[in-house]
């Protein structure tokens, strides 16, 4: 696969994720942590991309809840939702 770099939340900072990724290929992982000195809301680098994507996908009624029985079915609906989002963006800008 073309994806080789993973951004993860501070909850995944332990050795489990890096060991698992090492077993399945050459992956690099970057843990995005919040500063200890932060008070209130702080925008974390790269984390907003994931949150924004989840918000876009949350607008799709089929993906609002976990209705799918198999991972393959859930992945297919996720791809369809992304295709819909991208075609709308292209149509708006074209």
């Amino acid at each position: 696969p073309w994806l080789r770099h993973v951004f993860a939340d501070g909850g995944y900072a332990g050795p489990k994720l890096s060991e698992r990724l090492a077993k399945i290929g050459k992956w690099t992982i970057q843990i995005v942590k919040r500063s200890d000195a932060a008070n209130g809301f702080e925008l974390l680098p790269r984390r907003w991309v994931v949150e924004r994507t989840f918000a876009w996908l949350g607008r799709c009624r089929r993906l609002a809840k976990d209705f799918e029985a198999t991972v393959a079915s859930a992945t297919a609906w996720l791809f369809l939702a992304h295709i819909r989002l991208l075609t709308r963006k292209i149509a708006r800008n074209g």
Side-chain angles (χ1 to χ4, degrees):
W2 55 270
L3 179 67
R4 291 289 177 208
H5 188 75
V6 176
F7 293 100
D9 190 47
Y12 297 97
K16 279 186 177 180
L17 181 60
S18 20
E19 290 171 2
R20 197 72 169 145
L21 288 175
K23 286 182 181 179
I24 60 173
K26 293 183 178 183
W27 295 81
T28 58
I29 183 168
Q30 179 181 348
I31 304 296
V32 181
K33 290 187 178 179
R34 185 182 154 162
S35 169
D36 291 335
N39 189 10
F41 177 77
E42 179 185 335
L43 183 65
L44 299 176
R46 302 305 294 173
R47 185 158 174 188
W48 65 271
V49 175
V50 175
E51 297 297 332
R52 179 193 63 194
T53 305
F54 286 155
W56 286 343
L57 293 173
R59 292 185 192 151
C60 299
R61 190 167 53 110
R62 182 79 186 223
L63 300 177
K65 300 235 187 247
D66 192 14
F67 293 122
E68 306 308 318
T70 64
V71 174
S73 175
T75 305
W77 282 106
L78 190 65
F79 280 133
L80 286 171
H82 269 292
I83 290 168
R84 189 183 122 235
L85 287 170
L86 290 175
T87 52
R88 285 185 175 188
K89 284 185 182 289
I90 290 170
R92 263 190 243 134
N93 293 332

